[in-house]
């Protein structure tokens, strides 16, 4: 609750969850007295309001265009994969050209319990992947589609640093409202045609509530009363 009072309810929940795991680990190994129990179990979770920011097409295109000349070589390609495949940052960064590039599409191995699926090729998705593989600045050291200079895939910390620089530049260049890289998956989800079941299949989520509550951020279009 103290973290919520300071405007960081989500951080407070994550910290409490981490402490519960630490004390559980200690209890299981005898480092914490059983009489003490797990003191991090008691505090109630702070209410979390799902993020509702929808990135408009013109905002996305503005940042994408800027990234092609003013950011790290991988940025525009990763942005397109995250948006077009409706996937998380780590799902995109860990793609392997031999394992994930298939004749029928791009295999997305999704984290956090979501089902792995294949996003069929479109001209735009093929362009993003080919653009990454053929980018003259791409380190040719590994099978990752987005390799770092040491042969590993581009790390999340490096991506986030590059993203923050890009967003700062975008705001100083005319973008009115910032958005996060985590907003790209919900944009892709929101722009996917079909009902909740169709969108659930597209992202591999196992429950429709995740789609309607968190990821589908476009207002519904409904007819008037008369």
């Amino acid at each position: 609750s103290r973290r919520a009072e300071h405007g960081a309810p989500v951080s407070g929940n994550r910290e409490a969850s981490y402490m519960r795991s630490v004390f559980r680990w200690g209890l299981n190994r005898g480092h914490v007295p059983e009489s003490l129990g797990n003191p991090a179990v008691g505090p109630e979770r702070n209410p979390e309001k799902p993020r509702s920011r929808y990135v408009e097409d013109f905002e996305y295109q503005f940042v994408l265009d800027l990234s092609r000349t003013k950011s790290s070589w991988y940025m525009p390609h990763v942005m397109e994969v995250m948006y077009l495949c409706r996937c998380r940052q780590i799902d995109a960064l860990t793609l392997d050209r031999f394992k994930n590039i298939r004749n029928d599409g791009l295999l997305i191995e999704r984290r956090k319990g979501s089902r792995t699926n294949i996003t069929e090729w479109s001209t735009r998705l093929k362009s993003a992947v080919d653009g990454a593989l053929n980018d003259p600045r791409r380190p040719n050291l590994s099978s990752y589609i987005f390799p770092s200079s040491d042969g590993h895939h581009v790390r999340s910390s490096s991506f986030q640093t590059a993203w923050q620089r890009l967003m700062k530049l975008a705001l100083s260049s005319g973008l009115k409202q910032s958005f996060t890289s985590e907003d790209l998956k919900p944009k892709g989800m929101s722009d996917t045609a079909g009902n909740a079941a169709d969108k659930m299949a597209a992202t591999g989520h196992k429950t429709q509530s995740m789609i309607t509550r968190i990821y589908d951020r476009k207002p519904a279009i409904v007819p008037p009363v008369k």
Side-chain angles (χ1 to χ4, degrees), residues 20 38 76 87 101-102 106 121 123 132 134 137 140 148 164 167 213:
R20 282 193 293 271
N38 191 331
C87 67
I101 296 177
R102 299 164 49 105
L106 192 61
W121 292 118
T123 300
N134 298 308
R137 298 169 294 171
N140 189 23
S148 59
Q164 289 162 11
M167 192 52 56
R213 189 172 68 89

Side-chain angles (χ1 to χ4, degrees), residues 164-195:
Q164 289 162 11
R165 286 198 301 261
L166 174 62
M167 192 52 56
K168 183 177 180 180
L169 179 61
L171 290 170
S172 66
S173 301
L175 183 69
K176 301 300 183 185
Q177 183 181 359
S178 67
F179 57 90
T180 69
S181 61
E182 288 78 12
D183 289 327
L184 299 183
K185 177 182 176 181
K187 174 171 175 55
M189 170 68 70
S190 301
D191 292 346
T192 296
N195 57 29

Side-chain angles (χ1 to χ4, degrees), residues 80 84 120-131:
E80 284 282 78
L84 296 170
E120 294 179 333
W121 292 118
S122 66
T123 300
R124 187 169 168 182
L125 179 58
K126 193 72 166 60
S127 178
V129 173
D130 287 346

Side-chain angles (χ1 to χ4, degrees), residues 66-126:
L66 198 61
S67 74
R68 296 190 191 282
T69 56
K70 302 294 184 181
S71 189
S72 300
W73 72 269
Y74 54 79
M75 183 59 72
H77 315 305
V78 176
M79 284 183 64
E80 284 282 78
V81 168
M82 289 177 66
Y83 168 61
L84 296 170
C85 295
R86 298 148 294 217
C87 67
R88 296 181 178 87
Q89 173 200 128
I90 191 62
D91 300 337
L93 294 180
T94 54
L95 289 170
D96 183 282
R97 58 179 173 168
F98 298 119
K99 181 180 181 181
N100 297 99
I101 296 177
R102 299 164 49 105
N103 290 333
D104 50 354
L106 192 61
L107 177 69
I108 304 296
E109 297 173 286
R110 301 179 185 275
R111 272 68 169 176
K112 296 189 177 181
S114 297
R115 293 187 178 93
T116 292
N117 60 14
I118 297 170
T119 301
E120 294 179 333
W121 292 118
S122 66
T123 300
R124 187 169 168 182
L125 179 58
K126 193 72 166 60

Side-chain angles (χ1 to χ4, degrees), residues 52 54-57 83 186-187 189-192 199 215-221:
S52 59
Y54 172 73
V55 180
E56 299 288 349
D57 288 347
Y83 168 61
K187 174 171 175 55
M189 170 68 70
S190 301
D191 292 346
T192 296
K199 298 184 181 214
Y215 289 106
D216 196 354
R217 299 180 179 178
K218 269 186 176 178
I221 300 175

